[in-house]
Each structure stands twice: as structure tokens, then as C-alpha cells.
Amino acid sequence: MSHRNAVIRYELHPQLAADSHPVAPFELCELRLMDDANYPWLVLVPRLPDARELLDLDQTQRHLLTDEIDRAARTLRDAFHPHKLNVAALGNLVPQLHVHVIARFEQDPAWPSPVWGRVAARPYSPEALVERIALLQETLVT
Amino acid sequence: MSHRNAVIRYELHPQLAADSHPVAPFELCELRLMDDANYPWLVLVPRLPDARELLDLDQTQRHLLTDEIDRAARTLRDAFHPHKLNVAALGNLVPQLHVHVIARFEQDPAWPSPVWGRVAARPYSPEALVERIALLQETLVT
């Protein structure tokens, strides 16, 4: 008779898995694209079990996270030339720690408000999704 | 006849000056309290001229900023025991780089939405403001 393994392992929250698509594995985080064509919108999810707040990271993890936020932001800037970048760790609805990095334009449907709760998500078509992820991956490596 | 000094110096944006009150000087940032009693709401403003995006910081500044965000977040946690912390650099309306650190409660007037644009700010009374800033300053030093 086996007993359950009590070790807690990192697993992507089902809501984040449903709302976003993998782009690249970073050292600390999964880099994912939100399935909302209204905005170029990346999410970074640290692969740490049970992390809810930025406060749950130690200093080394925190510095690495901020370097990865910087890399995600540079990717959006280089690929889309936005008017503004928005960076946020909220987590009021999905408790797993995740950081939004969003390219904003004065013509986008929520501008100048934050994007959350403004207009319904507009999922990518399969073709647009493949193209968008390819563009992000190409921009990442340059 | 003197000519104008062309060196650009850091100056707090007038909108941030109007909306918030000084709490403490950190190494990189000014720590300020938003004048909205709906939420315990801190803002960190890096004393860097012309910074608009997190991308405008070099790695040393970025790591220092994240350490100061951590300190502000611990202060809110220890003083108010919130349900969740929200951390965000948006800047769609006020271009000067500033980072919000907000203590959220399931009973607050915007929960679970982000705070921006939900309900009108509720300014502190002079007495409540003095008390709140004193509590934050005491919590910072412990």
C-alpha cells in the first residue's frame, strides 16, 4: 500500500493554464501569452510551489524575477513599440503568484484605464496565435 | 546675464505631489501614502529624472527598487494584515515612474477588482492622516 507523496510541487494554476499559452521557459518563470488579442499581454509565473505574494520570494528570486520582467518588457517593446508598458502583480482572483507585463496603446480598448475588467477577452484565432508566439520567440532571442 | 541650468534634476510630478503625502525617504525612492482612506496604499517614486518605464532603470537600480517594494509591502502586511497585496507600475495617466503597493481586503470597496477607477478617493481627515503616517513610520523601523 503506497501513501501519497507529501512533497508540494509547482503546478500551473488551472485558470492561468486556461487563459494563456506557453511562450518560453525562463530560469525562474514560465513566460506565457494571455489569450486576449486586445493587447500584447505576457504573464510571468515563477515556478515556485505555493507562492502567492512577491513577499514569498527571497532576495535572489526577487532579483531574478525583476530581470525576467525586464526581459519580457523589452520583448514587448521591441516587437510592438507600445506607448506604455504596464507591469502588475495583483492576484485577487487567481492566487498563484503571476506578473502581468502588458503593452498599451492609446488606441487600445481600455486606454488609459488598466486592462482588467474593461472589455471581454478577444481570443486569438489559431493562425494569429501561432504567428504572435513566433514573433515573441524571435524577438526574445535577438 | 545667467543662462538656464540645463541639467535635468528629479522633481516629483505635481499630480503625485497632490495625491499623496511623504512617509519616508528610501535609498532610491520616495515612499508616499496615497490620500485615499479606502485602502492602505503606498507609492514608491524613484528619484530619477525622466524615468517613465521600469526599463529605464539599470540592473542595480532595478534590484534596489524591488528591495524597496518588498520593504513597503512588509510594512503594509505588518501594519494592516491584508488579504492580498497588489503591486503595479502602470503610469498611463501620470508619466513619472511610480510603483503602487496596495493592501487589499475582501471588504474594500473595489474588491476583487483593481483599485483604479472604481470608487472616488476618500481623503483622510487631518487627524487620520497624521495617525496613519505615524503607524507606517513606526512599522517601517521595527
Side-chain angles (χ1 to χ4, degrees):
Chain A
M1 204 174 90
S2 70
H3 59 274
R4 285 181 67 90
N5 188 340
V7 176
I8 298 164
R9 290 206 174 74
Y10 165 77
E11 203 173 333
L12 184 64
H13 190 284
Q15 191 65 53
L16 290 172
D19 293 346
S20 65
H21 302 280
V23 175
F26 283 175
E27 185 180 338
L28 176 66
C29 296
E30 296 191 49
L31 179 68
R32 302 180 64 89
L33 174 70
M34 286 293 277
D35 194 11
D36 184 351
N38 286 312
Y39 326 91
W41 181 345
L42 295 172
V43 178
L44 289 161
V45 188
R47 286 188 296 273
L48 299 168
D50 278 349
R52 286 172 49 92
E53 298 281 2
L54 293 173
L55 286 176
D56 295 330
L57 274 53
D58 64 28
Q59 192 183 47
T60 303
Q61 293 165 336
R62 206 157 68 222
H63 289 183
L64 189 51
L65 174 61
T66 194
D67 292 345
E68 297 186 355
I69 290 170
D70 192 76
R71 194 175 171 206
R74 273 186 283 118
T75 300
L76 288 181
R77 184 191 62 190
D78 295 349
F80 303 104
H81 310 286
H83 178 69
K84 189 70 191 71
L85 291 160
N86 289 174
V87 176
L90 304 175
N92 300 345
L93 296 172
V94 174
Q96 184 173 59
L97 179 61
H98 58 288
V99 179
H100 303 275
V101 186
I102 311 163
R104 301 300 307 276
F105 298 87
E106 289 168 297
Q107 300 77 23
D108 76 38
W111 184 265
S113 295
V115 300
W116 302 276
R118 292 285 152 178
V119 301
R122 192 160 55 83
Y124 289 98
S125 69
E127 297 75 16
L129 182 64
V130 168
E131 195 181 330
R132 172 77 29 125
I133 288 176
L135 172 61
L136 289 164
Q137 289 170 337
E138 280 162 32
T139 310
L140 267 177
V141 294
T142 57
Chain B
M1 205 175 90
S2 70
H3 59 275
R4 283 182 69 90
N5 187 341
V7 175
I8 298 165
R9 290 207 173 74
Y10 165 77
E11 203 173 331
L12 184 65
H13 190 284
Q15 191 65 53
L16 290 172
D19 293 346
S20 65
H21 303 279
V23 175
F26 283 174
E27 185 180 339
L28 176 66
C29 297
E30 296 193 49
L31 179 68
R32 301 180 64 89
L33 174 69
M34 285 293 278
D35 194 11
D36 184 350
N38 286 312
Y39 327 90
W41 181 345
L42 296 172
V43 178
L44 289 161
V45 188
R47 286 188 297 273
L48 300 169
D50 278 348
R52 286 173 48 92
E53 298 282 2
L54 292 173
L55 286 176
D56 296 329
L57 274 53
D58 65 27
Q59 192 183 47
T60 303
Q61 293 166 336
R62 207 158 67 222
H63 289 183
L64 189 51
L65 174 60
T66 193
D67 292 345
E68 296 185 356
I69 291 170
D70 191 77
R71 193 174 172 206
R74 273 186 283 118
T75 300
L76 288 182
R77 182 191 64 189
D78 295 350
F80 302 104
H81 309 286
H83 179 69
K84 189 72 191 70
L85 291 160
N86 289 174
V87 177
L90 304 175
N92 301 345
L93 295 172
V94 175
Q96 183 172 62
L97 179 61
H98 58 287
V99 179
H100 303 274
V101 185
I102 311 163
R104 301 299 308 275
F105 298 86
E106 290 167 296
Q107 301 77 25
D108 75 38
W111 184 264
S113 296
V115 300
W116 301 277
R118 292 287 152 176
V119 301
R122 193 159 56 83
Y124 289 97
S125 70
E127 298 75 16
L129 182 65
V130 168
E131 195 181 330
R132 170 81 23 129
I133 287 176
L135 172 61
L136 288 164
Q137 289 171 337
E138 279 163 31
T139 310
L140 268 177
V141 295
T142 57

